[in-house]
Amino acid sequence: MKQTFLPLSDEDKTYLKSLSKTRTIQAQVVDRARILLYKADGISFDEIATRLNISKRTVRLCISKYYDGGIDAALFDAARSGRPSEIS
């Protein structure tokens, strides 16, 4: 995982750019899309964390999820096992 950039296709970049500019989805998805775009441009983990005002651990986790499962795995959280919590 020591690559300096992410190998994203033009189609993937277009998709991520559209997500990063929308205001109708969760802010964390927007941040994750920006992380992937910045890394595709060869920006370091430290610089990405600084630009987005997030931790380096968050950046590393997003990139790791990308390598493990692709764009959807990096952007969206997997469903958790167990019974959903109830708000009363």
Side-chain angles (χ1 to χ4, degrees):
M1 198 167 69
K2 276 292 191 189
Q3 287 183 296
T4 57
F5 66 94
L6 286 181
L8 295 176
S9 69
D10 289 339
E11 182 179 317
D12 289 342
K13 285 181 183 180
T14 301
Y15 172 62
L16 291 171
K17 285 178 185 176
S18 71
L19 284 179
S20 70
K21 293 179 182 177
T22 187
R23 297 188 183 271
T24 58
I25 58 174
Q26 293 177 333
Q28 67 188 17
V29 175
V30 172
D31 281 348
R32 292 172 185 176
R34 289 179 179 158
I35 289 169
L36 296 176
L37 287 169
Y38 284 147
K39 196 61 190 164
D41 289 338
I43 298 173
S44 71
F45 290 159
D46 293 337
E47 181 63 23
I48 294 170
T50 301
R51 286 184 184 192
L52 297 177
N53 197 28
I54 57 176
S55 72
K56 284 192 298 186
R57 184 178 177 279
T58 300
V59 176
R60 289 185 191 279
L61 182 61
C62 180
I63 301 300
S64 177
K65 285 182 177 182
Y66 170 80
Y67 282 119
D68 291 343
I71 287 182
D72 285 341
L75 294 177
F76 305 105
D77 293 328
R80 295 182 180 196
S81 62
R83 194 173 112 201
S85 60
E86 293 181 14
I87 300 174
S88 56

